[in-house]
Amino acid sequence: MTAQIFLAEMLGTMTLLAFGCGVVATAVLAKSKGFGGGWLLINFGWGLGVYSGVFVAAKSGAHLNPAVTIGLLSNPNATEFADGVAANFPNALLYFAAQLLGAFIGAVVAWLAYRNHFDHPDTETGAKLAVFSTGPEIRNKPWNVVTEVIGTFFLVFVLGAFDGTPNGLGPLAAGLLVVAIGASLGGPTGYAINPARDLGPRIAHALLPIKGKGGSDWSYSWVPIVGPVIGGVLGGLAAGAVFV
């Protein structure tokens, strides 16, 4: 059971990041057919990545995000992460590891698909990093944390209203929620709302042999971890209080 849960969560998160990093690459890398596709293309790409990843990871409850796992831990009404999987800290560590590994692999997959575009001389250094990780438009780290807290709060809180592991419209609802958060609250920081989504690909950016890639902006890397963790806790507590 443990291996199945780990594999499902890892593959679901990998799918999310392959599509998510891939849609950013489509929009920002030189010579891509989707170059200049814009913010809404990116929002929908990430949302459909969530939609697909939720189906892939149905067996694990499809968290795909440490903030969601933390939200369930914080929710006093949530006793299971998935059918037969207790909501406790040891199991949370299993989910965190699967999510981080899946996010790393998914980012590598996106890089492989766009290898020639990453190395093309017309692709800007900042665009290469943007495929992998988030960054603020106005760098003010305390307020950047606030933005991430707010976005992640609504992610976890509204997911609490959907009630349960994937079924019926669950995957579609989750995907559309991510589109909504990106379109409405994502502008200031790029809406990480997921520590693994940012950290796994940022590590991939640091390790991969990308021409002229520049630094990985590690001085900012704590923001898309701390903000979503706080937002996940607050969203889980609120969901537990409201959706009894």
Side-chain angles (χ1 to χ4, degrees), residues 31-52:
K31 305 301 180 182
S32 163
K33 290 183 181 294
F35 181 74
W39 186 240
L40 286 179
L41 173 65
I42 292 172
N43 295 161
F44 274 98
W46 277 104
L48 292 172
V50 169
Y51 172 76
S52 303

Side-chain angles (χ1 to χ4, degrees), residues 13 53-54 61 65 89-90 107 140 152 188-191 196 202 219 228 243:
T13 311
V54 168
N65 181 345
F89 187 70
N140 183 330
T152 312
T189 61
Y191 73 117
R202 197 181 295 270
S219 66
F243 309 119

